[in-house]
């Protein structure tokens, strides 16, 4: 019968109990709901950046929103939570590394995650936070920051589209069946439909404005349901991953004989 503690060494000291081999992966995995919870807290009940306000909002409403002190509190929380974004993406990258596909798809996801997060999360935070940082800004400047913040958040889909397209193609082309094939097709379909958000740079009213029925609400409904399904599939992939596939799974065998003395000790 195996035990977690190895036999005592010559010096009388026993090896420490072995920690779970997937502990580091599970820490990264469970950071995902923490990140999205903080992300949702910042953008919805705290600052009410989301659901997005209208591009046609009156100037006095824009000024009142952009000068809200809650925006500064939201920025503080988002700055502290920002580091969890790459940790959560590491869960996806680690599973792609197990697939029988070119590393190019993994690098594409990594680059897309980096650029997309900067444009889609940091830019809006800086725009909205800057508007609230110092009272008395000219209303025209606040209106410009308002436009830039929302256009960056809703209109930065190109980076994310390529990022998740690489993820979907990796699943489809993989022969190791790390993740189910249907998830790959679902991922590609989901992000093709999000291309309808491109007209936010043109439309200021209607279904293709940044707060429109198709551009925001339809795309958000697809994204949230897809993200939850991906999360469940990643959980199963980590759970089913054999320990001998882990980089940290190799254990140094305990010495079976007395320690070898060096010439200096004799």
């Amino acid at each position: 019968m195996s035990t977690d503690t190895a036999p005592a060494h010559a010096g009388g000291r026993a090896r420490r109990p072995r920690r779970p081999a997937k502990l580091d992966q599970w820490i990264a995995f469970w950071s995902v709901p923490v990140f999205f919870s903080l992300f949702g807290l910042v953008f919805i009940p705290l600052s009410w950046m989301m659901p997005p306000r209208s591009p046609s909002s009156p100037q006095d409403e824009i000024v009142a929103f952009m000068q809200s002190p809650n925006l500064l509190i939201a920025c503080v929380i988002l700055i502290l939570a920002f580091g969890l974004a790459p940790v959560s993406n590491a869960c996806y990258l680690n599973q792609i590394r197990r697939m029988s596909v070119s590393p190019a798809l993994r690098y594409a996801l990594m680059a897309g995650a980096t650029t997309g997060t900067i444009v889609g999360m940091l830019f809006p935070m800086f725009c909205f936070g800057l508007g609230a940082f110092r009272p008395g800004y000219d209303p025209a400047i606040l209106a410009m920051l308002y436009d830039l913040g929302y256009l960056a958040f809703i209109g930065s889909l190109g980076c994310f589209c390529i990022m998740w397209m690489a993820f979907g193609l990796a699943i489809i082309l993989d022969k190791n069946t790390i993740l189910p094939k249907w998830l790959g097709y679902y991922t590609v379909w989901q992000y093709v439909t999000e291309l309808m958000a491109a007209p936010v740079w043109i439309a200021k009213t209607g279904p293709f404005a940044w707060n429109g029925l198709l551009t925001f609400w339809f795309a958000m409904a697809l994204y949230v349901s897809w993200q939850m399904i991906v999360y469940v599939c990643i959980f199963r992939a980590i759970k089913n991953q054999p320990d001998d596939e882990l980089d940290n799974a190799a254990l140094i065998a305990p010495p079976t004989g007395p320690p070898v003395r060096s010439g200096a000790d004799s």
Side-chain angles (χ1 to χ4, degrees), residues 29 92 164 167 171 179 182-183 186-187 225-236:
F29 175 81
Y92 307 120
W164 293 119
F167 182 61
I171 298 172
L179 293 170
W182 60 261
L183 180 63
Y186 182 22
T187 298
S225 58
W226 168 83
Q227 184 68 73
M228 293 175 66
I229 291 171
V230 171
Y231 189 61
V232 172
C233 290
I234 292 291
F235 174 85
R236 292 176 177 173

Side-chain angles (χ1 to χ4, degrees), residues 6 19 26 88 105 109 116 124 147 150 163 167-168 203 205 221 233 241-242 250 263:
R19 68 173 176 84
W26 288 123
S88 61
L105 295 176
L109 190 147
D147 288 345
Y150 274 123
M163 164 189 173
F167 182 61
T205 59
C233 290
Q241 183 176 3

Side-chain angles (χ1 to χ4, degrees), residues 125-237:
M125 182 195 72
F126 282 121
C127 289
F128 295 133
L130 178 60
F133 181 72
R134 196 184 303 277
Y137 279 126
D138 188 280
I141 294 177
L142 293 176
M144 183 182 67
L145 292 173
Y146 175 86
D147 288 345
L148 180 55
Y150 274 123
L151 286 171
F153 188 85
I154 308 295
S156 59
L157 58 89
C159 300
F160 293 107
C161 187
I162 297 301
M163 164 189 173
W164 293 119
M165 284 292 185
F167 182 61
L169 287 175
I171 298 172
I172 294 170
L173 298 175
D174 175 38
K175 297 180 180 179
N176 296 333
T177 318
I178 302 301
L179 293 170
K181 294 290 184 185
W182 60 261
L183 180 63
Y185 293 107
Y186 182 22
T187 298
V188 172
W189 172 81
Q190 202 277 130
Y191 272 87
V192 166
T193 59
E194 286 211 0
L195 292 176
M196 68 180 64
V200 298
W201 293 90
I202 302 171
K204 296 181 177 64
T205 59
F208 292 104
W210 71 47
N211 66 331
L213 177 63
L214 294 177
T215 299
F216 179 76
W217 293 104
F218 179 70
M220 186 58 64
L222 289 176
Y223 173 78
V224 171
S225 58
W226 168 83
Q227 184 68 73
M228 293 175 66
I229 291 171
V230 171
Y231 189 61
V232 172
C233 290
I234 292 291
F235 174 85
R236 292 176 177 173

